[in-house]
Amino acid sequence: LDHITDEFMKYRSPLVSRYASKEMAYNFSDRKKFTTWRKLWICLAKAEKALGLPITDAQIQEMESHAEDIDFVMAAEEERKLRHDVMAHVHTFAHCCPTAAPIIHLGATSCYVGDNTDLIMLRDGFDILLPKLARVIDRLANFAEKYADLPTLGFTHYQPAQLTTVGKRACLWLQDFIMDMRNLQRARDDLRFRGVKGTTGTQASFLQLFQGDHDKVEELDRMVTEMAGFKKAYLVTGQTYSRKVDIDCLSSLASLGATVHKICTDIRLLANLKEIEEPFEKEQIGSSAMPYKRNPMRAERCCSLARHLVALMADPLQTASVQWLERTLDDSANRRISLPESFLTADIILSTLQNITEGLVVYPKVIERHIRHELPFMATENIIMAMVKAGGNRQDCHEKIRVLSQEAAAVVKQEGGDNDLLARVQRDPYFAPILGQLDALLDPKTFIGRAPQQVARFLSEEVRPVLEPYKAKMDVKIELEL
């Protein structure tokens, strides 16, 4: 009970306490971090032994048997005493591995475990995000396909414009997500291992250990890189891997944040028009004061977090720009915050978006009513063309339509009435030759151009192929905690 009370006596990041998935929260946890450090020390010892250094099987077995049982209390006490996190964990590991103690961290610098673990966490973070983004794309593609030919008002400047379809608009969202998928995949695939580079990146300590044998030092780097699950290591580093790598990773996530903010803002605008709504739970409350309200709170949460994700991009840009020579330690505290928070935030957004895109509600009758209000104005060009075909004069017809349109606009704007342009056209004897064509001229489906065909081709050529590698993970359900 005291432990639970203590938890509420100090600040907890809502990214973890309120929103994040278990897998992403674990990916940046102390347990994952420090067990990875131990595994990297084991990889180093195994490779050094294989290349001839006097390390025994018993020492490696001892290290392997204690890879997971970390005494976090002892490590904290050691760090308070030593003021050095890596050496604190070297001592803690050595305490339970007395035989292996002399060879733990042999030839390495702190960044051997620190930076390499960061690279593993970044890689694993992308591996968590990519299937989640694929599921959002899949759900949105299904939505686009279902509503590929449902006409809806297009908006430019947030003013009614020519018609599009609900599915075509969703494809605009999808196109941005496809670019994000490419960016995340590229950032993930471009990651390399820091490897075994020594204090300033020259591998001098390892060259000394192997008595000047350059080939063995290169083989050591290659072996450890392979054991860590990477295909390549950076050929040159300072003490750290280049902090431009962090820029690459977080810029792909910030770009995703921009996409999400735009899409969720669109959903919020459409919710105000009552054309589309996010899912609303049976017992969900929209407002404590106004019981009738159905607020787009999930889309609002995504926008809120997307702003944070975009803002975090400033951190790696600043950090990379102020690293002096082989490295300075002013990157450390910043990266402890900006790297995990970027991935945690992206993770939360994608989980929430999957929930939204699986349950988007469309109201065709509301959409139809909005079209009816605006379509007579949009149909004026079609009416003019029909009159000319029936033998009328284009300029005379244009003037007639202009006068009637302004009269109808006055009814809408000044009197609050419905758009009665069509009724005015029907009453005017000038338009008698085309009265029988009016219904066909005002059919919304004649105003959507090639939108349905564009949807079909886009989904077939650019969306479905991108999802193919993630088919096995497509049926995962998301349960939102809040």
Side-chain angles (χ1 to χ4, degrees):
L1 190 60
D2 286 344
H3 171 70
I4 294 171
T5 307
D6 286 347
E7 279 300 300
F8 293 99
M9 295 297 286
K10 58 190 178 186
Y11 175 77
R12 298 181 300 161
S13 168
L15 290 176
V16 174
S17 67
R18 195 170 170 89
Y19 299 124
S21 68
K22 288 189 177 79
E23 63 265 31
M24 191 61 86
Y26 176 73
N27 188 53
F28 291 98
S29 67
D30 281 352
R31 175 158 292 282
K32 163 103 180 241
K33 176 179 179 178
F34 296 127
T35 54
T36 303
W37 284 14
R38 291 192 174 186
K39 288 170 186 173
L40 288 170
W41 282 321
I42 293 166
C43 289
L44 180 62
K46 282 182 172 178
E48 287 174 336
K49 175 182 181 297
L51 291 167
L53 292 189
I55 295 170
T56 66
D57 287 336
Q59 287 173 315
I60 288 171
Q61 285 165 8
E62 185 181 56
M63 291 167 74
E64 287 180 326
S65 66
H66 292 285
E68 303 282 342
D69 57 340
I70 298 173
D71 187 336
F72 287 100
V73 175
M74 178 186 286
E77 288 170 357
E78 288 287 333
E79 187 169 355
R80 269 194 296 274
K81 188 167 62 181
L82 302 172
R83 296 292 171 190
H84 196 289
D85 57 349
V86 173
M87 286 310 298
H89 277 270
V90 169
H91 287 195
T92 304
F93 198 18
H95 180 78
C96 57
C97 300
T99 307
I103 56 95
I104 293 172
H105 199 63
L106 181 59
T109 186
S110 298
C111 285
Y112 168 68
V113 287
D115 269 30
N116 282 325
T117 294
D118 286 344
L119 289 161
I120 288 168
M121 287 176 163
L122 293 175
R123 179 197 65 193
D124 294 352
F126 279 123
D127 287 343
I128 293 168
L129 292 180
L130 283 162
K132 292 192 174 193
L133 178 54
R135 288 197 291 274
V136 170
I137 291 171
D138 174 72
R139 297 342 182 230
L140 207 47
N142 295 339
F143 177 84
E145 190 170 42
K146 182 176 179 180
Y147 295 104
D149 58 359
L150 178 63
T152 188
L153 275 179
F155 287 91
T156 57
H157 314 272
Y158 200 45
Q159 302 300 314
Q162 289 293 329
L163 301 193
T164 181
T165 68
V166 172
K168 170 64 193 295
R169 177 178 285 143
C171 285
L172 300 181
W173 301 340
L174 276 165
Q175 181 164 247
D176 289 354
F177 274 140
I178 294 296
M179 292 171 71
D180 291 317
M181 178 68 91
R182 180 200 67 200
N183 291 344
L184 264 67
Q185 190 69 60
R186 178 199 55 76
R188 187 251 183 256
D189 292 346
D190 281 355
L191 283 173
R192 298 190 192 185
F193 205 49
R194 177 193 175 273
V196 181
K197 297 296 193 295
T199 309
T200 56
T202 64
Q203 300 177 307
S205 58
F206 296 102
L207 193 62
Q208 188 175 355
L209 279 174
F210 288 106
Q211 299 178 328
D213 190 329
H214 290 268
D215 290 340
K216 283 193 173 181
V217 175
E218 289 219 356
E219 182 61 10
L220 177 75
D221 205 356
R222 189 200 65 75
M223 287 175 70
V224 173
T225 297
E226 189 177 287
M227 284 187 221
F230 283 80
K231 292 177 182 173
K232 287 184 177 179
Y234 298 108
L235 293 181
V236 294
T237 70
Q239 186 170 94
T240 67
Y241 67 81
S242 168
R243 295 311 184 215
K244 277 186 75 70
V245 173
D246 296 343
I247 293 176
D248 270 7
C249 292
L250 269 59
S251 65
S252 70
L253 300 184
S255 183
L256 171 65
T259 298
V260 169
H261 203 295
K262 182 264 190 292
I263 292 169
C264 288
T265 301
D266 284 355
I267 291 170
R268 292 162 64 191
L269 292 169
L270 294 168
N272 172 259
L273 298 174
K274 297 181 173 59
E275 292 190 356
I276 287 180
E277 284 181 346
E278 66 179 39
F280 199 85
E281 307 302 331
K282 189 177 176 184
E283 297 180 10
Q284 183 175 329
I285 295 173
S287 165
S288 61
M290 296 166 279
Y292 59 87
K293 291 197 80 178
R294 289 180 59 147
N295 300 326
M297 57 182 288
R298 287 168 225 193
E300 290 175 300
R301 182 193 307 165
C302 285
C303 286
S304 186
L305 290 167
R307 282 202 304 278
H308 181 56
L309 186 53
V310 171
L312 283 166
M313 184 65 235
D315 279 335
L317 287 169
Q318 300 261 17
T319 297
S321 69
V322 299
Q323 286 298 285
W324 301 349
L325 306 173
E326 277 64 52
R327 82 85 54 97
T328 47
L329 193 60
D330 59 344
D331 63 341
S332 178
N334 185 288
R335 295 174 70 253
R336 286 176 193 267
I337 299 166
S338 60
L339 298 187
E341 284 203 358
S342 292
F343 279 83
L344 288 162
T345 305
D347 175 73
I348 298 158
I349 286 170
L350 290 175
S351 295
T352 310
L353 261 177
Q354 181 178 333
N355 176 269
I356 292 172
T357 52
E358 283 178 347
L360 278 174
V361 182
V362 177
Y363 294 106
K365 293 295 182 186
V366 177
I367 293 172
E368 187 183 332
R369 186 171 76 243
H370 290 156
I371 291 173
R372 262 200 325 271
H373 286 165
E374 302 294 338
L375 196 60
F377 292 139
M378 295 177 193
T380 53
E381 189 173 3
N382 287 11
I383 293 171
I384 291 170
M385 293 302 105
M387 277 298 297
V388 171
K389 284 181 185 175
N393 178 288
R394 192 260 175 203
Q395 273 58 249
D396 292 344
C397 185
H398 185 277
E399 179 60 18
K400 284 276 189 185
I401 288 287
R402 187 188 69 79
V403 172
L404 295 179
S405 295
Q406 290 189 354
E407 291 171 356
V411 170
V412 172
K413 293 177 180 177
Q414 294 170 24
E415 300 174 20
D418 289 336
N419 186 338
D420 64 354
L421 175 59
L422 188 56
R424 290 174 185 274
V425 169
Q426 288 169 328
R427 287 198 300 268
D428 192 318
Y430 177 82
F431 294 99
I434 62 160
L435 288 184
Q437 300 177 46
L438 280 180
D439 285 346
L441 292 172
L442 288 159
D443 179 1
K445 286 194 184 293
T446 65
F447 289 81
I448 59 175
R450 299 192 62 254
Q453 290 75 20
Q454 288 179 345
V455 171
R457 184 178 176 191
F458 176 67
L459 294 180
S460 169
E461 293 184 20
E462 296 197 19
V463 177
R464 300 298 183 194
V466 169
L467 301 178
E468 198 63 32
Y470 302 97
K471 282 178 78 171
K473 297 182 178 180
M474 216 39 91
D475 294 331
V476 176
K477 297 296 178 191
I478 294 291
E479 293 293 333
L480 292 185
E481 296 297 323
L482 288 168

